[in-house]
Structure formats: C-alpha cells, structure tokens
Amino acid sequence: MEYNFISRLNHWVAAIAMIGMLLFGLYLEYGDLAREARRPLIGIHRSIGVVVLIFGIWRVSWRIMQGFPTPVADMPRWQFRLSKGVHWSLLAGILIMPLSGIGFTVFRGRDVDVFGWFSIPGAAEIPWIVSLSSVLHQYVGLGLCAIVVLHIAAALKHHLVDRDPTLRRMISGRALKTGTAPSDTP
Ligand code: HEM
Ligand code: HEM
C-alpha cells in the first residue's frame, strides 16, 4: 500500500498548518508584542486553530481507517518503533493542541469566535479543565516542536543519506517506480 493522493494532501495541509500554528503560538507567548497588537493576533490564532481541529478530525480518521503503509526502507526494529511513536504522537498533537486551546478558553467563560463565521459559546467556569488544558497547550506544544524537528530530520536523513524513497513516496506517491522513464516513450 502507498500514500494515495488524499493521504498526501492531508499530510502536507496538516503539516503546513501545524508548523505555522506552533510558530504562531510561540510568537504570541514569547514574542516582543504590545498588548494591543497581541489581542487581534490571538483571535486569528484561535480561529485558525478551530479550522485545524475540523480538518484534523478528518485527517486523523482517514489515517486510522486506511492504516499505515509498510515502510519502504529497511531499518532496525528500534527505528521502526520510534517512527511509529513519532507518527502517533504527531496525529495526537493535531487534535490535542486545538482541543486544549478551546478548553482553556471556553471553560474560562469566553466565546471562541471563528473568523466571524460562527462562535463556540463560553461555558460555566471549570477551573480544573482550564488548568489542565493550559498545561497541555503549553507542554504538548513544546514537545511537538521537538518531535516535528526529529520527524523532519528523519525524512531528510532517509532522502539525503540513505537515499531511499521514504520522502519521495510522500511527495509523489511513487515509491517503487524509481527507475527512469523507458527510452521508447513517445
Ligand atoms: C493547531 C492548533 C494549535 C496549535 C499548534 C497551537 C500552538 C500554540 C503554542 C505552541 C502556543 C505557545 C504555548 C506556550 O509555550 O506557552 C500557543 C499559545 C496560545 N494558544 Fe494556541 N495553538 C493551537 C490552537 C489554539 C486554539 C484553538 C486556541 C483557542 C481557542 C488557542 C489559544 C492560544 C492562546 C490564547 C495562546 C497564548 C498563550 C496563553 O495565553 O496561554 N490555540 N498556541
Ligand atoms: C517539512 C516537514 C515534513 C516532512 C518533510 C515530512 C515527511 C514525512 C514523510 C516522508 C513521511 C512518510 C514516512 C513513512 O513512510 O514511514 C511522513 C509521515 C507522517 N508525517 Fe510528516 N513530514 C513533515 C511534517 C509533518 C508535520 C508537521 C506533521 C504533523 C504535525 C507530520 C505528520 C506525519 C504523520 C502523522 C505521518 C504518518 C503518515 C500519515 O498519517 O500521513 N509531518 N512525513
């Protein structure tokens, strides 16, 4: 089994969205931002986050329904296990990040307005959900940054050092057809 077109599209859309949102979040938290400038940016961060959640539910369900294709590279067992752990952590992160963001906003009694299209109404305050969600948002966010770096380093290592088709099959879908086109092609 290979990564079909929908799997590849799902992977790259979620990858761009997650890398963008992790950097956006770090900028909100640690960037040198004035209070007035921060407020509208948080609104955009929240709105994109809710859209990521809707897309993420589809993306993660699709992977669970399809299963993971077998790796194209020969690797030791520890590496296979590590890659499985990384892939499952990334999938979990796609859901945990927006859910925790919504959790610490909504259960503090605040609405989450999504680009003015619709709004998730604030609920009665539940302090333990607010604290848990905010710890998750912060630490899962930082953990994901490290895991994404490891994931990208692994993809580059397969491509540049081992020169196997791992990255190519996530880009073009063609893992096994690595030869050149037949010379008698018209
Ligand atoms: C793909 C989804 C999301 C990602 C990857 C993400 C990532 C992050 C990261 C990495 C931070 C910095 C955390 C830190 O180090 O303290 C952050 C901060 C923040 N995020 Fe998100 N976020 C997402 C969705 C959301 C959603 C849906 C909301 C609210 C509805 C939200 C609300 C916030 C707020 C208010 C902050 C500022 C820090 C704070 O006040 O605690 N995020 N985000
Ligand atoms: C430049 C950034 C990235 C590159 C080059 C990249 C590359 C790859 C490659 C080559 C695979 C296939 C691995 C295999 O066949 O065993 C893969 C799988 C995967 N990647 Fe990435 N990736 C990137 C960013 C991300 C990000 C940011 C996420 C999630 C937050 C992510 C989540 C996943 C997941 C969950 C899989 C397992 C298969 C699937 O469900 O799509 N990737 N990635």
Side-chain angles (χ1 to χ4, degrees):
M1 185 187 133
E2 299 305 326
Y3 287 111
N4 55 31
F5 178 73
I6 294 178
S7 291
R8 282 178 278 134
L9 188 69
N10 279 352
H11 174 268
W12 293 113
V13 170
I16 291 166
M18 287 300 288
I19 292 173
M21 283 295 279
L22 287 167
L23 295 174
F24 195 170
L26 292 177
Y27 180 60
L28 286 176
E29 191 67 23
Y30 307 107
D32 186 16
L33 265 172
R35 215 180 156 77
E36 317 79 66
R38 194 169 177 265
R39 191 166 301 158
L41 289 180
I42 286 188
I44 297 171
H45 180 82
R46 288 180 181 146
S47 297
I48 301 175
V50 174
V51 175
V52 170
L53 175 62
I54 296 166
F55 178 76
I57 292 172
W58 146 253
R59 191 251 187 269
V60 173
S61 313
W62 175 262
R63 173 57 50 234
I64 291 171
M65 285 181 320
Q66 298 263 309
F68 289 89
T70 41
V72 281
D74 290 328
M75 59 180 99
R77 187 183 289 264
W78 69 265
Q79 231 177 66
F80 175 71
R81 289 207 179 130
L82 180 64
S83 76
K84 278 263 161 243
V86 165
H87 293 164
W88 278 110
S89 308
L90 291 168
L91 290 176
I94 294 172
L95 301 178
I96 291 172
M97 288 310 290
L99 281 174
S100 57
I102 293 168
F104 73 68
T105 311
V106 163
F107 290 101
R108 218 167 32 188
R110 307 242 175 100
D111 296 353
V112 179
D113 178 73
V114 183
F115 294 121
W117 301 333
F118 64 93
S119 165
I120 304 172
E125 277 194 41
I126 308 185
W128 72 265
I129 298 189
V130 174
S131 333
L132 177 68
S133 306
S134 106
V135 167
L136 282 176
H137 207 69
Q138 183 169 359
Y139 290 103
V140 174
L142 294 175
L144 268 181
C145 290
I147 292 174
V148 167
V149 169
L150 178 67
H151 180 66
I152 296 175
L156 291 177
K157 190 230 176 216
H158 278 289
H159 194 66
L160 301 173
V161 180
D162 303 338
R163 294 180 180 276
D164 66 43
T166 303
L167 178 59
R168 225 172 310 139
R169 95 164 155 172
M170 191 47 104
I171 294 172
S172 68
R174 274 178 238 137
L176 303 172
K177 299 173 207 138
T178 52
T180 47
S183 53
D184 57 349
T185 308

